[in-house]
Amino acid sequence: MLCLSTAASAEDTWDGTYYSTSSSFNYSSWGITKTTVDDVEWYHFTTAKQLATYADYVTHWTGVYNSINISLDADINLNNYPWLPLRLGGNFKGNGHTIRGLNVTGEEYVNYRLYCRRHYHSG
């Protein structure tokens, strides 16, 4: 499961705020970088606010699964704020990083090609 890590590293904690969003995925204004490896685009997330803003964007602007590939490049803490499941149609690469403080609301699962059920410990 993605939520396992023994590496000691700094953790970015979400303060419950979002970057400004619109009907277009303006990743660079959120500090997200994009790379292309073997003709596959990867978006690199390094903060909890980036991931939360993306989840909010998908939920409120697209309303559908979004087919981007996410690379988690840092440990993040969602700080037990209510979290709507992220509708992700692409791939999620955790790179050994940890997502803590996941407080799922709404549907019973989060789809990162793995399932974190509500009864899992989120801290």
Side-chain angles (χ1 to χ4, degrees):
M1 184 173 172
L2 169 69
C3 303
L4 299 177
S5 175
T6 57
S9 64
E11 177 179 86
D12 181 77
T13 301
W14 187 32
D15 63 3
T17 63
Y18 302 92
Y19 291 105
S20 177
T21 59
S22 65
S23 60
S24 63
F25 176 41
N26 194 3
Y27 66 91
S28 61
S29 71
W30 306 345
I32 297 169
T33 58
K34 179 175 75 170
T35 59
T36 302
V37 179
D38 297 326
D39 295 324
V40 177
E41 292 181 341
W42 286 93
Y43 294 86
H44 298 268
F45 288 69
T46 57
T47 70
K49 186 174 182 176
Q50 291 169 340
L51 189 61
T53 301
Y54 180 71
D56 183 69
Y57 162 76
V58 171
T59 301
H60 294 102
W61 288 102
T62 68
V64 296
Y65 289 91
N66 200 320
S67 295
I68 73 163
N69 299 304
I70 293 176
S71 176
L72 185 63
D73 293 349
D75 294 340
I76 61 173
N77 185 338
L78 297 174
N79 211 14
N80 291 313
Y81 283 100
W83 179 264
L84 290 172
L86 174 60
R87 294 181 173 113
L88 181 64
N91 295 299
F92 188 93
K93 184 168 46 172
N95 297 314
H97 292 289
T98 302
I99 296 176
R100 296 186 187 282
L102 183 62
N103 178 15
V104 177
T105 59
E107 299 176 45
E108 283 292 314
Y109 61 89
V110 174
N111 179 3
Y112 288 133
R113 298 202 183 256
L114 52 89
Y115 297 88
C116 293
R117 301 248 179 227
R118 280 187 177 185
H119 62 272
Y120 285 175
H121 179 58
S122 63

